[in-house]
Amino acid sequence: MNKFKITIDENNFDVTVNVTDHDKATVEVNGISYEVSYESKNTVATTAPRKPAAIPTSTTYKSSAQSTSATSSKTTYIKAPLPGTISAISVKVGSQVKRGDCLLVMEAMKMENNIVASVDGQVKAIHVTAGQSVSQDDPLVDLV
């Protein structure tokens, strides 16, 4: 487990990274946990603790989304895991999605990050447009 203090555009983030597999990790950013997949370009064999050999070039974030119960449906709110710019939106309002489907792509820290559905459902609302800058915890997509 590695702990970092990261500053992006004068915003501070406490980040904990726990690698669980050769291409998967649990990342906690300011107390919010994400399961991430990454692809490393370099591999270094060592038995001593070390810093990562390479910064991942692509990351998939599974939002620890908040849910609200209603009488007949449950809404899941997908929020921005960190500040960035929306580079592509893969769904439309009304689209059916499965858990793990890519909803949109967000560029942050010079990486493309796939923001994926945390539950099966239907896209109820999209709160962003391509090219839009977002802050951490800004609403991105609502699923029902």
Side-chain angles (χ1 to χ4, degrees):
M1 184 179 314
N2 294 308
K3 293 187 178 192
F4 305 94
K5 279 202 175 286
I6 298 175
T7 303
I8 304 169
D9 296 331
E10 299 180 6
N11 294 308
N12 295 319
F13 301 92
D14 292 318
V15 178
T16 302
V17 179
N18 184 22
V19 176
T20 58
D21 199 355
H22 64 52
D23 64 343
K24 294 185 175 142
T26 302
V27 177
E28 186 176 305
V29 180
N30 287 350
I32 301 173
S33 291
Y34 303 95
E35 293 179 24
V36 299
S37 298
Y38 63 91
E39 183 179 307
S40 179
K41 299 283 184 187
N42 298 323
T43 306
V44 176
T46 181
T47 55
R50 63 176 176 84
K51 293 187 178 184
I55 296 173
T57 57
S58 177
T59 304
T60 300
Y61 287 95
K62 291 183 183 174
S63 175
S64 54
Q66 297 175 338
S67 297
T68 300
S69 295
T71 52
S72 62
S73 67
K74 188 182 213 181
T75 302
T76 301
Y77 302 97
I78 307 297
K79 296 182 178 184
L82 65 164
T85 302
I86 305 304
S87 55
I89 300 174
S90 306
V91 295
K92 296 180 181 180
V93 173
S95 297
Q96 291 292 326
V97 296
K98 298 240 183 245
R99 182 176 183 222
D101 285 354
C102 181
L103 302 173
L104 56 89
V105 178
M106 185 173 102
E107 185 177 321
M109 299 188 309
K110 297 184 181 181
M111 293 180 3
E112 287 189 345
N113 304 284
N114 294 322
I115 307 300
V116 300
S118 57
V119 296
D120 293 350
Q122 182 177 23
V123 177
K124 177 181 177 182
I126 300 172
H127 300 285
V128 293
T129 58
Q132 179 179 340
S133 293
V134 295
S135 297
Q136 182 175 357
D137 293 328
D138 279 357
L140 302 175
V141 177
D142 297 346
L143 302 174
V144 289

